Each structure stands twice: as C-alpha cells, then as structure tokens.
Amino acid sequence: MYRLSTRLLSAFGLIAAATTLAHAQSSADYFKGKTITYIVATSAGGGYDLYGRLISEYMQRYLPGSTFVVRNLPGAGHLVGTNTIFASRADGLTIGTFNTGLLYNQLVGLPGVKFDLTTMSWIGKATTEPRVIVVSQQSPIKSFADLRASKAPLNFATSGVGSANYVETTVLTSALKLPVKILTGYNGNDDQLAMRRGEVVGTMGSRSSFDQFVRNGYGRYIAQVGGKDADTPQLRDLVKEPLAQSLIALVQSQGDIARLTAGPPGIPQPALDALREAYRRALEDKELQEKAAKLERPVEPAYGEEVRKAIVAALTQPPETVALLAQALQKK
Amino acid sequence: MIETMFSALYAMLTSPYMMGLMLLAVAIGLVVGVTPGIGGRLSIALAIPFVFGMETIPGAVFLLTMHAVNGTSGQISSIMFGVPGDGDDAATTIDGYPMAKKGEAGRALGASVTASGVGGVIGAIVFAVMIPVLEPVVLAFSPAEFFLLALLGITFIAFLAGREQIFKGLIVGLFGMMLATVGMDPYTGTPRFAGNFLFLWDGMSLITAILALFAIPEMIALAVKGGSISAVPVATAKYSYRELFQGVMEVPRHWWLALRTSIIGAVVGMIPGLGSSAAAWFCYGHAIQTSKTPERFGKGAVEGVIAPETGSNAREGGALLPTLFFGIPASSGMAVLMGAFLILGIQPGPSMITDRLDLVWTLIWALVVGNLIAVTFLLFIMRWAVLLTFVNGAVLVPYIVVMAVIGAYVSEGQWQNLVILVVLSAIGYGLLRFNWPRAPFVIGIVLGKIAEESLHKALELWGLKFFTRPLSLVLISLIVTTIGIAVYQNLRPRVTAQQPPVSR
C-alpha cells in the first residue's frame, strides 16, 4: 500500500514536473507570432504615451516573436482606456498604462468606473512621481510655514473636480486647514502660466511637470510628498495631524506607483509570468534607461506582485479617509 | 545678432543634409495635413522615435517644418470637396468650396496655398520681432481677456450670417454653443448632457461635428444634384497653371488684408489657451468686418480664403514663442513638439535667447524656408488635383464620404463618434437644403467652450470686477464697436436686396 502510494505520488510528481516544464516551454512560446496591444489611456505625445512606447518597444525585444502595437485610447480622464483594458480578454494579448490617480475614483466610487484595480493583472511600474507643492517666485510665500500662516486665502490651481490633482489638493487642504482657495479648470500647463500672471499663488502636482518651471526661476518648491530630493522638505515632516499623515501616506503610495503597466484580471499565470519577466528585463535594459534619461524621464521600476500588493494596500483605507475623500469630491 | 541671423540661414541652405531633411519633412507634413482627422500633433508623436539620436538642430528643424506646413495642405480638401480637415480649415471651406463649385478651384487653391506661405513667413517675422515684448504681451491675457476675446469672436456671427439671415445665424451659432457645453464640467465634476457615455465626457468631437456639418451635407447635395462639383464643365473652365497663377496674384492684390490677418494669426497663436482654431476664425471674421462688400462672403469671395489661411499658418510662428521661451506650449501640437525638443536636448526657457540664439534663428528660418518649399511644391502639383472637381459626383462621392468617416473615427478612435456623425449630418443637410448659414456653428462650438471656461475662472478670481481691467475695457469697446457696425449695416438701406440668399 505504502509503495503504491509512493509510486502514485512520484507518478503525480512526474506529471506535475512535466506539465510545469510544458508550461515554461509554452509561456516562452506563448507570445511567438502573437500581437500584443498596449493601450495608452491618453492621446499620443504625452508622458504616458512616451513611457508606453518605450516599454512596449523593449518588452517586444524580450518576448521573442511577439509584436507590440501601441494603441492610444484617450478619453474621460483615462477612464475610457482603463475600462477597455479591464474588459479585454484575459489572454495576455492586451495590456496597457493609465493614471494611478484612478484609485481615488475607485475608492470613492465615482461614476464611470467599470474596473477593480485590486483584481487586475499587475505587470509593473516604471517610476516614482513625487508630488510637490509649488508656488510662484513672485509670491511672498517662501516656505510651507508661510503658506500655513497666511491670513488671506491663497489661490491654488487644479485641473478639474474629480481629477487626481484636485482630489489631492482638496484633501490635504481640508486635513491641514490650509488657507487655500481651490480654482478649477487649469489644464495642461495653464497652471504655470497662471502662476506667472500672478492670478494663482501655487499648485500641487508631479515634480517632473514643474522641474523646468522651477529651473527657469519662475517658481519654487515648498514641500514634497515622496521621492528623495534633498532640496525640498518632505510634507510629512512639516505637519503633525494624524489624519493628514494618513492622507499624505495615501498620496505618496499613489505617487510611488507611477507609469504602471497592467492587464485585465485573470491572465493565466504562465502568460502573466512571461509578461512580468519581459517587463523586468525591459526596464533593466541599459539602452532603455539611457533613452529615458535623455528624455528626462526617471526610471525607478518595481515588478509584478510588489506592485499588486501596493495597489491593494492603497485601496484598503479606513472609512474616515474614504469619507474625507468623498466629502472633498462633493464639496462643489 | 545680425551675424547669427544670416549665418544660421547660410548654414541651413548650404547643407544638403538639412535641405534633404526639410524636403522630407515638408512631404510628410503635407501628406498628414491633407488627411482629415490626423493633425500635426499625431505626426510629431509618431516621428519621435526617428529623431532619437539625431543631432539637435537637424532634429528640431525636421519636426518644426513638418508641423508648420501641416496647415498648408489642409485646405486642399476643404476647397475642392468641402471636407475640412480640422477647425481652422472649416473657415476656408466657407468661401473656398463655393469657388470650386463655380469652377474656380484652381484660383482658390492658388490663393490659399500662397496665402498659407505668406502667413507662415510673416508669422516667422512676427516671431522674431515679438521676442523682446513676448513676456508683457503673453502675461497681459488672463481668463478675463480670454472670455472677452471669445465673446468678440462670437459677435462676428452677425457678419458671417449676412444681413438677411442674422436670426438664422444666431440660432445656428447658439446650437454650436449648446453642443460646446456637452462634456465633463470641470467646476462640478459632473457630466453634462453626456450621461454614462464616456466618449462624450471630453466634449463633442470638433472634427466629427465639422465633418458632419460641412462635408457630408455637401456630398449628399452633390449626389442629389448629379454632375460634378464644378458647375462649369471642364472644357470652358480654365484649369491650367494660368488660373492657379491668377489665384497666386490675388494675395498681392489683397496684401494689406494678408498682412493684417497674418499678424492677428501670429498674435492669437502666441497666447496659450485660446485654442488653435480661434486664429483662423478671428481672421475670417476680420476680413468680412472690414470688407466694403461683406455680402460677397460665403459665395466664393477670395478674401474669405486668404484670411483664414494666412492666419492659421502665421499662428505656428506665434505659438512657437511661448513654447521656446517660457516652456509653456501654446497649443496641443506645440506641447508634443516641446516634448520632442526635450529629447533633442533643447531646454525651453528664457535662456534660449542668450545661449541658443543660433538655434532660435535656425528655427525661424526653417519656418520661412519650409513654407516656401511647401508652396512651390503644392502649386506645382495642384494643376492635376484641380481636375478632380470636374469628375462626376457619382464617382467622387463614395471616396469622399469614406474619407470623412475615417476622419471622424481616427481623430479620437471612438466608434460612437460615427453615430454622432450620422445624426449631425442630418441636421447639416437640413441647414444646407433650407439655406441656413453653417459657419456660425463652428464659431459657437469653438469659442463657446473657451468663453464658458474663462468666464468661470474670471468670476472666481475677480468677481464682476474683471470687467474693469484695462485690457478688458479695450476689448469691451471693440465688442461694442463690432455690434454697432453690425446694427448699422442692418439698418442701412438695402442695396443688394434683390440678391437671392446663398448658403454658406
């Protein structure tokens, strides 16, 4: 009886080994001759497009025999593209990139969300986008302390109600009781021009969008969330309120997972492993890194499971944070 | 300064590599421009991989030239088939297509291509002249001024519609403004007239609306009427170089208008936030407003072709200014161009003028030379293209409808826009059939959005006091004058009352 069972076991073991081998074989071959659509949830030409094209070019190199096609699917603040990725067939042949800020939309349950970020097949993220509070050079505000101490309300520019930049500005403003009046409708680089005209004092956004603005002497950073830049103090060291700390942590986790790549839920494990492996090798490729450096686009990758866990963690928020977010979004 | 200026030109003209690149860029730019729905923005985005590893100056010249000549070929389909490629080409359609119907496609194309070239060159000159005053001029325009400028543009509807049709014009203009309100409202974060249709959240697709209102109705009308686009048969029409040349000569004949509209185009282009289609429409409105015979517009007036084309090409020179010296792109095309410039190692900012003057001049010359190459090339091949307007509609219509449908789809990649295309085409054909003006629609949809957004911002920033800003007062007086002229022209005894109303 005993011998039989060991025989059976070893037989099973053999079969199992054989199938894993077949899996490994097939996952390497799986993409041979296949076309992988890489959806970019913005129109051609922006940062997402740039990362998307760069990453798909090098992933193709590390999935021999595959062809990557970049498809721009802009609309409704990345919602159109993300919904499309989520609803596509889970065969590994459709993946894509979109704004991590959509996790706010999911947290609060904003309209138009037809995805669940926690279940998506996470492949990796390319970089970290620290958030900064930037103020115009001509304003009397020289530091975060000045901002807090201001008697008159200060105008801050945001893009639109519901956008990630609006959400972050609103929740931090209300949690820290900052004397800030939030204006909406500043898209693209409108906020920089508005600061130069003096109609707004500052704004909050990704550091990479303002580096040139600050380098040209038009503005200064007064606080930062995430990142390792020594020239700007971290916002978490400047404030004490526990609620604000938890919100800063949320904003930071959002900024840490920037320029992500993901597929629909349920991509078969071997195919997902192959995609993750190709992604890792693409991001570690010296040539890709050189190109990105030339474009002034930082590369600080993280891969697969790590990214998935971070997303799940960011979406597991205590009810009071969710309530604050919801309140921020309904204020207008 | 002067030395750098000419050494840059010399270096460009004597290098076969640079000239070869420019020829290639002109060719690509013209091909992209002639296809509706694919703007210069996309062409640059697609060219980015190819400029990797190129040297700074050749790469920048290549991209800028490609972008700058885009508008030069856009008017070809507007004039010949009534199919505008984008918002500013729609302005050219209004007088260009009636000219083609009269068998004057050659003259219209000669004039528009030359006007584009002249506009591009003057735009480059404005660029050079404006560098010292760039900062005060650009910073003087805040949301308050944007609102009033948009309002000024909207008052042009009074002229566009013509005196017999002012109410119809207003109705159509308001219809356009109504469609401009569709989309996600940035002030409340709720979708307006868009419900759960995500494709409407960014607003009605401008290119779809324009194709539906202009291209499709004209094609239905042509199919119903039978025959060819040109009402004049090919034997009697002059489709030779001579007619093209006559068109070319229309530009020096209207040199004063061409100069003014080029400057208007360049200055409007210089101010980020006014949108890229605004320049052409301001110029078109200006041409009618200052014309002694405004009733000729919409029926094939050559000035109606010259004004928007000078304006839209001059705009590129203007738009390059804030892009290069502030690092703030003035249009979506320029935003992509700026991204590409970064790849080439160009750091936009005020230091460009001190550190990279050679590059600045090379770019100015690239605008001039690129436009000249494009004009020469187009004038040379246009002779054969014009013949298409004499082809039987039964042969032509299917191709053009397919082109319009593709344009509506590729501009945003959303199939739902095809439904919008069909619905709005029905309205467009109704307007055409019953002789209602269609131009005010584009003004409404283009400027309505700017007017609304900037009014919101201005009120939030300054409350009602924004009307008392100095520049605002100047603009308000311009608006009052415009309305005054319109009222006077309407009350004036009718001289041309016998003329039958003609569609625009």
Side-chain angles (χ1 to χ4, degrees):
Chain A
M1 199 60 204
Y2 168 76
R3 281 176 61 178
L4 187 71
S5 57
T6 38
R7 258 193 211 164
L8 259 175
L9 267 177
S10 50
F12 270 125
L14 263 176
I15 293 166
T19 41
T20 4
L21 205 75
H23 259 309
Q25 196 98 58
S26 68
S27 69
D29 290 341
Y30 181 74
F31 292 102
K32 201 162 266 175
K34 298 268 174 69
T35 301
I36 300 168
T37 308
Y38 192 101
I39 293 177
V40 173
T42 62
S43 50
Y48 286 93
D49 186 53
L50 220 142
Y51 274 104
R53 284 177 196 274
L54 203 56
I55 287 165
S56 48
E57 184 190 338
Y58 284 83
M59 276 182 83
Q60 174 174 309
R61 195 170 291 185
Y62 292 108
L63 280 175
S66 69
T67 311
F68 271 71
V69 176
V70 174
R71 185 169 165 217
N72 293 92
L73 215 55
H78 295 233
L79 281 175
V80 172
T82 315
N83 286 339
T84 309
I85 297 170
F86 189 81
S88 62
R89 194 183 299 184
D91 51 9
L93 299 184
T94 309
I95 57 174
T97 185
F98 49 85
N99 188 346
T100 324
L102 288 182
L103 65 85
Y104 296 128
N105 300 47
Q106 185 178 336
L107 262 177
V108 187
L110 286 183
V113 174
K114 292 196 186 116
F115 51 79
D116 178 0
L117 295 180
T118 56
T119 63
M120 288 184 87
S121 304
W122 292 96
I123 294 165
K125 65 106 182 178
T127 188
T128 302
E129 292 269 11
R131 296 294 188 274
V132 283
I133 302 180
V134 50
V135 293
S136 72
Q137 196 69 36
Q138 75 251 36
S139 85
I141 308 296
K142 307 282 180 230
S143 66
F144 187 72
D146 288 349
L147 177 70
R148 290 203 95 164
S150 170
K151 291 279 179 293
L154 304 165
N155 287 338
F156 263 60
T158 67
S159 47
V161 174
S163 65
N165 139 279
Y166 175 84
V167 173
E168 292 175 354
T169 314
T170 324
V171 292
L172 289 178
T173 301
S174 68
L176 295 166
K177 300 194 175 55
L178 296 176
V180 161
K181 180 180 174 192
I182 296 168
L183 301 171
T184 50
Y186 291 92
N187 297 310
N189 295 86
D190 287 356
D191 47 4
Q192 299 184 6
L193 205 58
M195 273 190 264
R196 296 217 47 207
R197 289 194 297 251
E199 70 196 42
V200 303
V201 170
T203 184
M204 246 184 95
S206 299
R207 183 173 167 124
S208 61
S209 322
F210 291 97
D211 267 346
Q212 201 191 329
F213 183 74
V214 169
R215 211 180 309 142
N216 283 333
Y218 299 141
R220 62 168 73 85
Y221 299 133
I222 56 171
Q224 182 163 332
V225 175
K228 297 183 194 75
D229 307 86
D231 56 359
T232 312
Q234 283 291 329
L235 186 60
R236 61 168 179 267
D237 303 331
L238 299 169
V239 299
K240 290 189 188 68
E241 295 87 336
L243 180 61
Q245 288 294 357
S246 75
L247 286 168
I248 292 169
L250 173 61
V251 172
Q252 176 163 356
S253 69
Q254 205 267 99
D256 280 347
I257 323 165
R259 315 295 185 185
L260 48 82
T261 299
I267 294 182
Q269 201 60 42
L272 181 59
D273 287 342
L275 285 170
R276 284 174 171 177
E277 177 62 14
Y279 184 88
R280 192 182 57 72
R281 291 175 66 183
L283 271 289
E284 282 170 4
D285 190 299
K286 284 276 170 298
E287 228 178 275
L288 178 142
Q289 292 177 357
E290 270 167 33
K291 275 193 182 179
K294 217 173 158 190
L295 292 162
E296 300 206 10
R297 299 288 179 174
V299 173
E300 252 179 77
Y303 310 106
E305 272 309 294
E306 191 188 339
V307 174
R308 193 189 68 80
K309 283 184 186 136
I311 290 278
V312 173
L315 279 164
T316 319
Q317 291 294 330
E320 60 259 37
T321 313
V322 177
L324 196 73
L325 282 169
Q327 194 194 344
L329 285 166
Q330 276 154 16
K331 215 164 78 181
K332 283 241 170 177
Chain B
M1 180 88 176
I2 303 287
E3 198 185 328
T4 327
M5 179 174 156
F6 288 105
S7 66
L9 177 65
Y10 182 75
M12 191 163 79
L13 292 179
T14 52
S15 153
Y17 173 58
M18 290 283 274
M19 292 312 285
L21 267 181
M22 285 192 71
L23 281 176
L24 186 65
V26 167
I28 298 174
L30 291 178
V31 169
V32 171
V34 84
T35 323
I38 307 179
R41 189 186 144 83
L42 188 67
S43 60
I44 294 183
L46 295 179
I48 285 179
F50 298 101
V51 297
F52 262 120
M54 264 170 110
E55 273 178 67
T56 309
I57 290 185
V61 165
F62 177 76
L63 291 172
L64 180 68
T65 314
M66 196 168 79
H67 185 71
V69 301
N70 232 281
T72 314
S73 61
Q75 73 260 39
I76 297 175
S77 61
S78 323
I79 291 174
M80 294 205 314
F81 317 125
V83 180
D86 52 37
D88 38 341
D89 289 334
T92 316
T93 308
I94 296 165
D95 274 290
Y97 189 58
M99 285 180 81
K101 282 183 182 166
K102 289 195 280 183
E104 299 181 342
R107 187 163 145 252
L109 284 169
S112 75
V113 167
T114 314
S116 294
V118 168
V121 172
I122 297 179
I125 298 171
V126 173
F127 176 106
V129 172
M130 289 296 263
I131 291 174
V133 290
L134 171 68
E135 190 148 332
V137 170
V138 169
L139 296 185
F141 287 87
S142 72
E145 284 76 27
F146 289 169
F147 168 67
L148 291 167
L149 271 175
L151 210 58
L152 179 66
I154 290 168
T155 56
F156 284 153
I157 288 177
F159 297 100
L160 279 178
R163 40 200 296 181
E164 297 93 358
Q165 300 194 310
I166 192 146
F167 283 103
K168 289 179 181 172
L170 283 176
I171 292 170
V172 176
L174 287 173
F175 176 60
M177 285 170 80
M178 201 176 82
L179 289 192
T181 62
V182 173
M184 179 62 87
D185 180 355
Y187 307 96
T188 60
T190 43
R192 284 189 307 201
F193 312 120
N196 287 326
F197 298 114
L198 290 180
F199 78 103
L200 285 177
W201 281 20
D202 297 318
M204 184 69 72
S205 156
L206 179 65
I207 179 77
T208 306
I210 287 173
L211 286 169
L213 242 62
F214 290 91
I216 305 283
E218 293 293 357
M219 286 306 116
I220 300 175
L222 180 60
V224 170
K225 177 185 79 123
S228 60
I229 288 177
S230 170
V232 186
V234 70
T236 55
K238 302 149 280 176
Y239 61 94
S240 61
Y241 278 122
R242 213 179 75 207
E243 205 193 341
L244 271 177
F245 185 69
Q246 277 180 0
V248 172
M249 291 315 289
E250 292 290 348
V251 179
R253 264 186 59 204
H254 298 96
W255 67 273
W256 177 226
L257 176 73
L259 181 67
R260 278 176 301 160
T261 49
S262 298
I263 293 173
I264 294 176
V267 173
V268 169
M270 205 173 121
I271 303 163
L274 269 181
S276 46
S277 300
W281 285 96
F282 274 119
C283 293
Y284 185 73
H286 176 76
I288 303 182
Q289 193 194 0
T290 54
S291 171
K292 290 198 182 68
T293 49
E295 61 279 354
R296 282 175 33 255
F297 282 81
K299 300 162 195 167
V302 76
E303 298 97 306
V305 171
I306 294 174
E309 284 308 323
T310 44
S312 66
N313 267 41
R315 185 188 71 210
E316 298 304 333
L320 191 60
L321 276 166
T323 313
L324 270 188
F325 298 116
F326 289 174
I328 294 173
S331 65
S332 59
M334 280 293 159
V336 181
L337 189 66
M338 192 173 99
F341 277 2
L342 288 174
I343 301 176
L344 294 166
I346 300 171
Q347 279 295 343
S351 58
M352 286 282 294
I353 198 70
T354 42
D355 302 351
R356 303 299 311 262
L357 194 62
D358 58 329
L359 176 69
V360 172
W361 275 113
T362 308
L363 292 177
I364 294 174
W365 286 119
L367 281 176
V368 174
V369 176
N371 270 296
L372 292 179
I373 297 176
V375 169
T376 318
F377 182 67
L378 281 181
L379 285 178
F380 186 69
I381 60 163
M382 213 48 82
R383 179 183 189 273
W384 291 281
V386 169
L387 284 176
L388 280 176
T389 59
F390 299 102
V391 168
N392 192 323
V395 181
L396 204 58
V397 168
Y399 288 101
I400 296 177
V401 170
V402 166
M403 204 162 100
V405 168
I406 291 175
Y409 176 73
V410 296
S411 65
E412 311 203 348
Q414 311 265 12
W415 64 267
Q416 292 96 327
N417 277 333
L418 299 181
V419 180
I420 302 278
L421 182 75
V422 171
V423 174
L424 289 182
S425 293
I427 297 174
Y429 183 63
L431 294 178
L432 176 73
R433 181 79 180 68
F434 298 103
N435 270 322
W436 282 47
R438 283 170 294 158
F441 173 82
V442 191
I443 300 247
I445 198 168
V446 167
L447 296 179
K449 204 173 190 67
I450 305 170
E452 192 213 345
E453 285 183 358
S454 38
L455 177 64
H456 254 296
K457 275 186 215 158
L459 285 175
E460 258 193 297
L461 286 165
W462 299 291
L464 283 172
K465 274 188 297 189
F466 82 81
F467 286 118
T468 57
R469 293 163 58 88
L471 192 53
S472 298
L473 289 174
V474 174
L475 288 168
I476 289 172
S477 60
L478 269 177
I479 293 171
V480 172
T481 318
T482 309
I483 294 175
I485 295 173
V487 169
Y488 168 75
Q489 286 189 350
N490 268 280
L491 294 178
R492 200 172 54 167
R494 299 187 160 210
V495 189
T496 51
Q498 282 87 343
Q499 270 203 349
V502 174
S503 78
R504 279 149 207 256

